[in-house]
Amino acid sequence: MTWRADDPQGNESAKVRHELVPYIRGRCLDLGCGGEKVWPHFIGVDNGLDAKLFGSPIKADMMVDSCESLPVFGTEQFDCVYSSHLLEHIVDFEKALAEWWRLVKPGGYLALYLPHRDHYPRIGQPGANPDHKHDFAPEDIINAMGVSIGGWDLERNETRSGGQEYSFLQVYRKRRDGLRLHPWAQERPAKTVGVVRMGALGDALWASSVIAHLKDEGYHVTVYAQEPGELMLRHDPHVDRIIVIPPVYDGAGLVSYFLYEAPKYDRWENLIGIVETRLLPAATDVDFWRTDAQRKRLFGPHNYLEALHDVAGVPHVWRQKFYPTREEAAWALAERAKFDGPVAVIAPTGSTASKWWPHVQACRRAAPSWAPPGRCARRWRSRSSRMPSSARNRSWSMRSPSSRCSRWCSCRTPRTAISPSIG
């Protein structure tokens, strides 16, 4: 038994908060949230019983009589339903599981964190919770999930008894086909690498060059990216898994998360800031004001891609590539066929201010000399409120002959549409 009476009590969710990151995009529920939701964007639901039994503060968004029945929520409305140390308090726990499963969208997750009967006092033993109705082991929940419940993948099935933990974690992904599979039981790959590259489409594209080399070295590749990066790498054959980092961390929290994740891998390649803080410092950074000679001595004569390869320790063989689906490729070819001759597509801004190209105006003025008239496409990308309102959209666009691309552009372009997923 790993439970100790003098250990800190309460807020069990804090012990697995980082573990839940791959599953918390979208609309999420925290059932039995108690005094603190596992993540702020979850909808917290509680009946307030701990306040009566133990005087614990309850900070729920919604108070209910019981989580066994939640008719206030529609069927298949949530991307993730999470519950920590609640199910063992419910007499008809199988009914509760069926109700929680009803709320999960196909492709969504049910995540359960429960006290393990081999590591926590059982009912009637000294230190046991007086309100517990069951003593669970992982197989009890697996068996219950096989009764009158549809298909699922059991993605996580972990006994967690180290440190101050005495529980087990299970994550079920909802399937439509009725199959019940156990990917958690697959053998661990021989070599694993975690690659971190936050940012938007271009950042992920350049990272794909590094990723291809790591795959050739025999690594199982897990990429940590933001949503635009996932869009870019979704069909890359060199990527085995993508963990999308939702906007739930501040700077210190992100550091904490990556320090937590890195030991899970044989190799860890953190590519954050390789370009932004070194090759492309902002005007508020002292390095921005160095002379060209100083910059070359400090950072070398590198470009974006060379810097990424050097940090990751892979050869200077450039392999960045976007892998579209058949439908995307067919659409792109059909769109391209609408134009005669070459088409210039210019993306003059990046995901941060330091990546803005300083020669946008000059390029636009010169465009008619190297591009056919009426064939100048532009794209503005921004996550910063500093970008002028005229540029705040994240779609490709072409303008009509009577309008300009923006207040900085002198070209005149025909109207059409270009997909942001083609890049």
Side-chain angles (χ1 to χ4, degrees), residues 312-369:
V314 298
H316 280 202
V317 178
W318 320 122
R319 300 175 62 183
Q320 67 274 16
K321 184 178 179 180
F322 172 65
Y323 293 86
T325 63
R326 290 184 178 180
E327 292 77 12
E328 289 171 334
W331 178 90
L333 289 173
E335 287 295 309
R336 180 63 185 86
K338 297 176 181 179
F339 300 96
D340 297 327
V343 175
V345 180
I346 304 169
T349 65
S351 55
T352 58
S354 60
K355 295 179 183 177
W356 284 36
W357 190 39
H359 309 294
V360 176
Q361 290 180 326
C363 176
R364 295 297 173 85
R365 287 193 294 268
S369 67

Side-chain angles (χ1 to χ4, degrees), residues 246-260:
V248 294
Y249 288 109
D250 58 16
L254 199 60
V255 171
S256 174
Y257 174 60
F258 289 140
L259 289 174
Y260 180 88

Side-chain angles (χ1 to χ4, degrees), residues 286-299:
V286 65
D287 288 330
F288 181 88
W289 303 101
R290 297 188 186 278
T291 66
D292 287 344
Q294 286 178 323
R295 290 159 69 88
K296 288 179 181 178
R297 285 194 295 268
L298 283 170
F299 311 124

Side-chain angles (χ1 to χ4, degrees), residues 59-72:
K59 298 179 181 178
D61 299 305
M62 180 179 296
M63 300 298 293
V64 297
D65 293 331
S66 171
C67 284
E68 293 177 70
S69 178
L70 297 167
V72 67

Side-chain angles (χ1 to χ4, degrees), residues 187-192 218-220 266:
E187 185 177 354
R188 185 183 188 275
K191 294 171 62 178
T192 60
Y219 285 99
H220 179 280
D266 300 308

Side-chain angles (χ1 to χ4, degrees), residues 17-18 20-21 24 30 37-43 248-249:
R17 180 173 288 124
H18 290 322
L20 297 176
V21 166
I24 64 173
D30 184 343
K37 295 184 292 186
V38 63
W39 285 107
H41 68 286
F42 279 46
I43 299 172
V248 294
Y249 288 109

